[in-house]
């Protein structure tokens, strides 16, 4: 080999190494998505708008650090987002997540993203595979639009389906996260780990720029106005009223918190598919199930443990994800939603 | 340009004017940092300062908004300190101060010189104060309970440059008029 050939070969290899980006795997997806998409993808794209900060201007937490429950300086009434995955409990204080919106975490050997949108009051968990999610700085129906760092596809959090980029029309795999209070979570999971303020960023974690949940004030007050336009307006409730939302292949279902608390167990048939929603008095949230065999569940016979709800008939149910959301946002994403307000209302 | 620079030096050489310019600059800087959220409540009392993130000094958060590098607690107040945000606020504060004092000087000048009664400098203050809140307009509108925040987000990126431009124009006009009447005041 002559010297100049050797030189060119070395140069080519060096250039190839320089321009070969490490390929990150896409997040694990569902094609077609298992959740309803009630507007066209094009309509969603047209409804996207800037939320103010730029891409990653609201920085996700990519190296979260945790502390033991007894070291946390939280009040019992403080809102938290809890996760129980493969026998391990972690909790993410709302007053930290309001500044970051996404935590790219690992729990029980799985790569997970815990996401929270303050403007729609929604906390959802997504499996992220070998990539991470970041905050795009865009909003649709006031809801956080995430992007994945492998393909730069854009995913509205509530929708859980990409509306732009190479993965458009693909759904994400969700897992359950809990919107509850520190006191309730600690009672259910005394061994929980708590996200610390050592996020790698400097923020005023004692102050929520939108208002307060303890007590409820500012943007979070039920009657306060939304900030950004929505694709569908529904004034049946004040905009920030919290509903418990469940989605299935045939549609979406919203349940008022009052009816869930009062009735304990709610059965709803959506297009011949039966759902059973069980109120968890400890965490003050719902557990949603598909109930194909129409098993009758009695609230008085149920027990709530760290792993979830147990009791007669529960084993025959299939768990479905559910989450709390501000009514205006739920109705904007799911204009045809079934609304359950209680038995006395026809 | 030299006569204009001389006017500025003259203003700064007079203790009362220099004090007024500095006062306006400090007040504006604090107001800007408050409106954009760098200074806010949430302090636990006492004094404490940590600077753990100097490497983020040039990292952008949004239009004309940079990552804080440190956290300063002062009693009930917390300042998430970003050097670039502070320099930007102080620069705009200095321009507001110069405009205010130049405008006041023109207004106080004898009318027969054709200088008195100018409101050019004072008018330029309006966009400057607007720009202070522009970066976080949605947050301010949340406090006010107004639903038009979404519409304002689109114009937020241009408010700071427009404010700086208007302040520079206002100052230039005021200084020109003062230069024409130099020696008469």
């Amino acid at each position: 080999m002559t010297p100049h050939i050797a030189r060119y070969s070395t140069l080519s290899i060096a250039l190839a190494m320089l321009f070969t980006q490490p390929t990150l795997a896409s997040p694990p997806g569902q094609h077609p998505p298992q959740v309803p998409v009630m507007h066209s993808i094009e309509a969603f794209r047209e409804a996207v708008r800037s939320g103010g900060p730029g891409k990653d201007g609201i920085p996700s937490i990519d190296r979260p650090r945790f502390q033991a429950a007894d070291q946390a300086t939280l009040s019992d009434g403080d809102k938290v987002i809890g996760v129980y995955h493969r026998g391990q409990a972690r909790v993410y204080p709302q007053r930290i997540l309001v500044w970051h919106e996404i935590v790219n975490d690992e729990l029980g050997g799985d790569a997970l993203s815990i996401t929270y949108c303050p403007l729609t009051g929604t906390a959802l968990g997504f499996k992220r595979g070998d990539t991470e999610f970041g905050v795009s700085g865009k909003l649709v129906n006031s809801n956080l639009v995430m992007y994945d760092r492998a393909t730069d596809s854009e995913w509205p959090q509530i929708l859980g389906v990409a509306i732009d980029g190479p993965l458009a029309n693909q759904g994400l795999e969700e897992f359950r996260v809990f919107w509850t209070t520190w006191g309730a979570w600690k009672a259910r999971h005394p061994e929980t780990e708590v996200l610390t303020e050592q996020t790698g960023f400097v923020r005023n974690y004692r102050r929520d720029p939108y208002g307060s949940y303890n007590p409820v004030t500012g943007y979070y007050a039920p009657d306060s106005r939304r900030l950004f336009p929505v694709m569908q307006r529904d004034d049946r409730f004040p905009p920030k009223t919290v509903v418990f939302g469940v989605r299935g292949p045939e549609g979406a279902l919203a349940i008022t918190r009052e009816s869930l608390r009062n009735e304990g167990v709610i059965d709803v048939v959506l297009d011949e598919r039966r759902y059973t929603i069980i109120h968890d008095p400890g965490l003050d949230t719902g557990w949603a199930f598909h109930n194909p065999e129409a098993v009758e569940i009695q609230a008085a016979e149920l027990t709530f443990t760290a792993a979830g709800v147990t009791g007669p008939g529960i084993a025959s149910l299939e768990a479905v994800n559910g989450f709390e959301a501000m009514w205006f946002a739920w109705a904007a994403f799911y204009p045809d939603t079934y609304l359950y307000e209680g038995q006395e209302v026809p | 340009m030299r006569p204009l620079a001389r006017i500025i030096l003259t203003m700064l050489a007079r203790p009362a004017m220099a004090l007024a310019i500095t006062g306006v600059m400090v007040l504006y800087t604090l107001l800007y940092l408050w409106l954009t959220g760098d200074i806010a409540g949430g302090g636990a009392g006492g004094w404490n300062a940590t600077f753990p993130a100097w490497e983020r000094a040039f990292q952008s958060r949004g239009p004309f908004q940079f990552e804080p590098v440190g956290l300063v607690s002062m009693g009930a107040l917390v300042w998430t300190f970003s050097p670039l945000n502070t320099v930007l606020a102080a620069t705009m504060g200095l321009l507001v101060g110069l405009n205010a004092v130049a405008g006041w000087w023109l207004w106080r000048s004898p009318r027969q010189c054709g200088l008195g009664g100018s409101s050019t400098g004072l008018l330029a203050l309006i966009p400057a104060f607007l720009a202070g809140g522009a970066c976080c307009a949605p947050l301010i509108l949340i406090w006010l309970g107004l639903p038009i925040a979404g519409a304002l987000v689109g114009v937020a990126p241009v408010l700071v440059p427009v404010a700086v431009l208007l302040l520079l124009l206002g100052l230039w006009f005021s200084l020109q008029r003062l230069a024409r009447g130099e020696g008469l005041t």
Side-chain angles (χ1 to χ4, degrees):
Chain A
M1 192 187 285
T2 58
H4 73 272
I5 292 178
R7 206 159 50 234
Y8 283 127
S9 307
T10 315
L11 188 66
S12 311
I13 292 166
L15 282 173
M17 286 173 72
L18 191 68
F19 289 109
T20 307
Q21 296 290 326
T23 47
L24 286 168
S26 312
Q30 298 168 325
H31 198 84
Q34 301 299 299
V35 289
V37 180
M38 292 188 181
H39 301 279
S40 70
I41 292 292
E42 290 71 29
F44 275 118
R45 279 183 201 161
E46 281 171 24
V48 167
R49 58 194 60 237
S50 165
K55 190 177 189 179
D56 288 323
I58 296 171
S60 61
I61 300 174
D62 300 329
R63 279 178 288 281
R65 298 167 89 175
F66 296 88
Q67 61 189 1
D70 56 7
Q71 292 177 312
T73 51
L74 290 164
S75 304
D76 281 357
D78 286 353
K79 281 285 181 195
V80 293
I81 292 139
V83 176
Y84 184 77
H85 186 75
R86 296 191 193 276
Q88 196 178 352
R90 275 188 180 163
V91 77
Y92 307 80
Q94 181 269 345
R95 64 179 167 81
I96 298 180
L97 255 58
V98 72
W99 292 103
H100 297 282
E101 303 195 358
I102 296 175
V103 183
N104 290 303
D105 202 355
E106 273 191 38
L107 202 55
D110 290 329
L112 307 173
S113 290
I114 290 83
T115 69
Y116 167 63
C117 176
L119 292 180
T120 53
T122 43
L124 280 103
F126 299 103
K127 295 185 179 171
R128 63 183 173 90
D130 292 331
T131 184
E132 292 172 340
F133 286 101
V135 179
S136 71
K138 299 172 185 173
L139 300 171
V140 63
N141 292 325
S142 292
N143 185 227
L144 154 70
V145 176
M146 314 182 294
Y147 77 94
D148 71 80
R149 291 181 177 146
T151 71
D152 208 23
S153 298
E154 294 185 347
W155 315 76
Q157 182 219 26
I158 289 179
L159 196 66
V161 175
I163 58 167
D164 214 340
L167 302 181
N169 288 306
Q170 185 169 304
L172 288 172
E173 277 185 45
E174 298 176 5
F175 64 92
R176 181 67 199 270
V177 305
F178 296 88
W179 175 246
T180 184
T181 61
W182 169 236
W185 186 258
K186 192 173 47 170
R188 179 69 55 87
H189 301 281
E191 304 299 318
T192 188
E193 294 180 309
V194 186
L195 180 73
T196 70
E197 294 179 7
Q198 312 304 312
T199 58
F201 295 88
V202 177
R203 291 291 185 276
N204 185 352
Y205 292 118
R206 306 278 157 192
R207 180 183 154 268
D208 183 327
Y210 303 104
S212 159
Y213 270 108
N214 187 22
V216 177
T217 59
Y219 180 85
Y220 307 128
D223 289 318
S224 69
R225 299 186 194 189
R226 57 183 169 75
L227 284 174
F228 294 89
V230 287
M231 298 167 81
Q232 180 78 35
R233 194 174 154 167
D234 190 325
D235 293 330
R236 279 181 280 178
F237 298 117
K240 315 293 174 58
T241 304
V242 177
V243 294
F244 185 74
V246 180
R247 300 157 300 169
E250 63 295 288
L253 159 69
I255 298 167
T256 61
R257 297 191 97 189
E258 290 68 31
S259 62
L260 189 58
R261 284 172 186 151
N262 293 341
E263 295 174 29
V265 175
I266 292 171
D267 290 304
V268 176
V269 178
L270 217 60
D271 199 16
E272 297 180 359
R273 195 171 159 96
R274 187 184 174 104
Y275 288 93
T276 297
I277 299 37
I278 297 168
H279 182 241
D280 180 334
L283 298 179
D284 192 22
T285 186
W287 293 87
F289 298 94
H290 173 217
N291 188 349
E293 295 165 29
V295 178
E296 285 294 324
I297 304 291
Q298 301 298 324
E301 297 171 346
L302 300 175
T303 313
F304 297 90
T305 67
V309 53
T310 58
I314 296 292
S316 64
L317 308 181
E318 300 163 14
V320 179
N321 196 22
F323 57 93
E324 281 79 6
M326 291 174 183
W327 165 248
F328 83 90
W330 184 266
F333 274 97
Y334 303 114
D336 297 333
T337 185
Y338 182 89
L339 173 64
Y340 187 88
E341 295 181 75
Q343 281 172 336
E344 52 286 335
V345 177
Chain B
M1 285 304 283
R2 285 182 66 189
L4 303 189
R6 201 166 58 241
I7 299 279
I8 291 180
L9 288 175
T10 309
M11 281 159 65
L12 292 174
R14 296 187 181 189
M17 287 194 179
L19 195 68
I21 291 167
T22 312
V24 171
M25 178 176 151
V26 169
L27 280 178
Y28 183 90
T29 303
L30 293 175
L31 182 70
Y32 182 100
L33 294 173
W34 173 265
L35 288 175
T36 55
D38 277 13
I39 296 177
W47 159 269
N48 186 38
T50 52
F51 297 91
W54 283 107
E55 72 279 6
R56 299 200 189 277
F58 296 99
Q59 202 174 317
S60 171
R61 286 173 74 177
F64 303 98
Q65 277 280 299
F66 296 89
E67 277 290 336
V69 301
L71 192 128
V72 184
S73 297
M74 307 165 286
L77 293 177
V78 172
W79 182 5
T80 46
F81 172 71
S82 153
L84 289 188
N85 288 351
T86 311
V87 165
L88 180 67
T91 307
M92 287 177 66
L94 178 64
L95 285 174
V96 174
L98 286 170
N99 263 291
V101 171
W104 176 82
W105 196 4
L106 271 176
W107 183 64
R108 289 292 305 244
S109 301
R111 282 186 179 272
Q112 60 266 37
C113 303
L115 299 173
S118 168
S119 54
T120 318
L122 299 179
L123 279 178
L125 301 185
I126 297 168
F129 279 102
L130 280 178
C135 313
C136 284
L139 302 187
I140 293 157
L141 293 167
I142 291 168
W143 304 337
L144 299 175
L146 298 177
I148 55 167
L152 269 189
V153 164
V155 298
V158 300
L159 280 178
V160 168
V162 164
V164 170
L165 192 69
L166 287 175
L167 282 168
L168 285 172
L169 278 175
L171 189 62
W172 188 72
F173 278 117
S174 297
L175 291 179
Q176 279 233 318
R177 299 182 74 178
L178 283 169
R180 264 190 276 142
E182 204 179 7
L184 295 173
T185 53

